[in-house]
């Protein structure tokens, strides 16, 4: 039984690693898309494709869960609750995705954008402490300090002692993504995760299409020019990657899963270097490394480590 569990965890970890790779390389497609269409139009098509790609996943998962007594709820109540929270989460996600895409357009760097966006991992416990009165550990404080220094090294160059508008927009998107995670954390346990994702993606699609039409930014010729980037950002990074995440997290502990998926920022830099031939200064690479270290530290629970490696627990496990 332990061998089976170990194999399942290896497979699950591999799926999560593939998920982070897909998400990281999505920054490349986001940069490529900005060469042909506007940020709003890009997101309109991207999240429409993402929503459509989740429909078959939702159908399959619904059939799997159909026989479970725990899923039998009042249809009207569950649909109403799902609609409300889909709208709330979708609005926050739309604001985050929009600001991120404008930030990508301003920076035009996959690796740079990926590491700045990764700050949302550090911001989650910070916002939880400020607004939800959640306790934070000293490692979290250290993660914040390390990430701030990394952000400074990455975004403030030697010659210009100011942060660019693009970096500020990307930082705003990281705050919004952290807010989105906290909201999902509060309500996600009561709702079907894939149904909630589909609902919020539909909301993001609707808001993006309305904004695109209002701004007169519909450009189908430009969309055809970056069709591959749009397909990857929509189908692969949403439908495929999200499905892999759901499957992988079923057998991998949350702490381990979050650390694997934080490799998204690393893969954004790899994708930018391999496909877009991006390079950074030594200062920039140090900043990326510090941000990455900060995201790892932010996910470590010292109390869990103490319990896991304490002599008393080890003796108890031996006796059992």
């Amino acid at each position: 039984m332990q061998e089976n569990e170990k194999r399942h965890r290896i497979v699950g970890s591999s799926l999560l690693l593939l998920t982070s790779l897909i998400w990281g390389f999505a920054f490349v497609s986001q940069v490529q898309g900005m060469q042909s269409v506007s940020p709003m139009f890009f997101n309109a098509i991207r999240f429409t494709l993402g929503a459509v790609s989740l429909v078959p996943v939702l159908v399959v998962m619904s059939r799997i869960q159909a026989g479970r007594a725990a899923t039998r709820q009042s249809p009207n109540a569950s649909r109403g609750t799902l609609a409300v929270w889909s709208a709330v989460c979708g609005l926050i996600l739309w604001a985050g995705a929009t600001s991120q895409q404008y930030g990508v357009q301003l920076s035009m760097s996959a690796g740079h954008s990926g590491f700045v966006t990764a700050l949302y991992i550090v911001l989650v416990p910070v916002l939880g402490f400020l607004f939800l009165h959640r306790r934070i550990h000293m490692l979290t404080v250290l993660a914040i300090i390390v990430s701030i220094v990394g952000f400074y090294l990455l975004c403030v160059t030697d010659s210009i002692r100011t942060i660019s508008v693009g970096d500020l927009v990307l930082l705003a998107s990281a705050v919004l993504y952290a807010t989105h995670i906290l909201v999902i954390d509060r309500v996600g346990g009561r709702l079907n995760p894939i149904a909630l994702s589909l609902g919020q993606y539909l909301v993001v699609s609707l808001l993006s299409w309305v904004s695109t039409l209002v701004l007169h930014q519909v450009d189908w010729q430009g969309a055809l020019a970056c069709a591959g980037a749009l397909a990857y950002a929509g189908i692969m990074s949403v439908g495929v990657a999200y499905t892999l995440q759901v499957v992988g997290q079923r057998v991998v502990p949350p702490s381990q899963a979050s650390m694997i998926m934080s490799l998204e920022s690393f893969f954004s830099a790899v994708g930018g270097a391999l496909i877009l031939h991006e390079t950074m200064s030594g200062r920039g690479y140090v900043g990326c490394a510090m941000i990455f270290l900060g995201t790892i530290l932010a996910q470590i629970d010292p109390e869990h480590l103490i319990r896991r490696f304490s002599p008393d627990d080890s003796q108890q496990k031996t006796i059992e």
Side-chain angles (χ1 to χ4, degrees):
M1 188 64 182
Q2 291 182 349
E3 288 297 325
N4 288 335
E5 183 179 351
K6 186 181 295 185
R7 282 196 295 268
H8 289 159
R9 286 197 177 186
I10 292 174
V11 172
S13 298
S14 301
L15 294 179
L16 293 176
L17 182 63
L18 180 57
T19 299
S20 64
L21 186 148
I22 293 173
W23 282 343
F25 275 67
F27 281 97
V28 174
S29 65
Q30 289 177 258
V31 171
Q32 292 173 328
M34 291 303 89
Q35 299 173 4
S36 303
V37 296
S38 70
M40 204 66 74
F41 189 44
F42 182 90
N43 277 345
I45 298 179
R46 177 188 185 184
F47 281 94
T48 299
L49 291 173
V52 171
S53 67
L54 272 184
V55 171
V57 179
L58 178 62
V59 171
V60 173
M61 295 299 294
S62 296
R63 289 180 178 177
I64 293 175
Q65 297 176 351
R68 297 180 181 176
T71 61
R72 294 174 185 171
Q73 302 173 353
S74 171
N76 294 330
S78 62
R79 287 176 183 175
T81 303
L82 178 63
V84 170
W85 286 112
S86 292
V88 172
C89 295
L91 179 61
I92 300 172
L93 181 59
W94 172 76
T98 300
S99 55
Q100 183 194 57
Q101 200 58 46
Y102 275 103
V104 170
Q105 184 187 48
L106 290 169
S107 70
M108 291 303 288
S109 169
H112 189 105
S113 301
F115 274 97
V116 176
T117 302
L119 287 170
Y120 77 87
I121 299 174
V122 180
L123 290 169
V124 167
V126 174
L127 296 181
F129 171 76
L130 293 175
F131 298 105
L132 301 178
H133 307 292
R134 293 182 176 178
R135 191 161 57 94
I136 60 175
H137 305 284
M138 286 304 299
L139 275 180
T140 305
V141 176
L142 179 61
I144 296 169
I145 296 173
V146 170
S147 298
I148 290 175
V149 175
F151 179 77
Y152 176 82
L153 292 175
L154 176 62
C155 301
V156 181
T157 62
D158 293 319
S159 58
I160 304 175
R161 295 297 175 182
T162 56
I163 300 175
S164 69
V165 175
D167 290 328
L168 291 176
V169 175
L170 286 170
L171 183 60
S173 75
V175 174
L176 288 164
Y177 280 134
T179 303
H180 179 260
I181 287 175
L182 288 174
V183 174
I184 292 290
D185 182 59
R186 298 280 287 186
V187 303
R190 304 196 301 261
L191 301 168
N192 184 315
I194 298 182
L196 178 61
S197 294
L198 176 60
Q200 66 179 354
Y201 290 153
L202 289 173
V203 171
V204 176
S205 300
L206 176 62
L207 292 174
S208 298
W209 279 113
V210 170
S211 301
T212 301
L213 293 172
V214 170
L215 296 173
H216 304 287
Q217 294 179 344
V218 176
D219 182 6
W220 292 112
Q221 186 174 357
L224 288 175
C226 63
L230 280 166
Y232 184 92
I235 298 173
M236 291 298 295
S237 72
V238 176
V240 174
Y242 185 81
T243 303
L244 294 176
Q245 180 193 11
V246 170
V247 175
Q249 285 194 279
R250 287 180 179 273
V251 293
V252 179
S255 58
Q256 182 181 343
S258 59
M259 287 189 183
I260 293 174
M261 289 187 291
S262 66
L263 288 170
E264 171 188 355
S265 58
F266 168 76
F267 286 123
S268 70
V270 173
L274 293 178
I275 300 175
L276 302 178
H277 308 292
E278 295 177 354
T279 58
M280 298 184 192
S281 64
R283 177 191 178 100
Y285 283 120
V286 172
C288 289
M290 295 192 71
I291 290 176
F292 184 71
L293 176 60
T295 62
I296 297 299
L297 291 174
Q299 299 171 81
I300 298 176
D301 184 352
E303 294 181 357
H304 176 73
L305 290 178
I306 292 173
R307 289 195 303 268
R308 183 174 181 180
F309 295 104
S310 64
D312 293 340
D313 288 349
S314 299
Q315 292 176 3
Q316 185 175 0
K317 289 179 181 178
T318 303
I319 294 174
E320 293 177 353

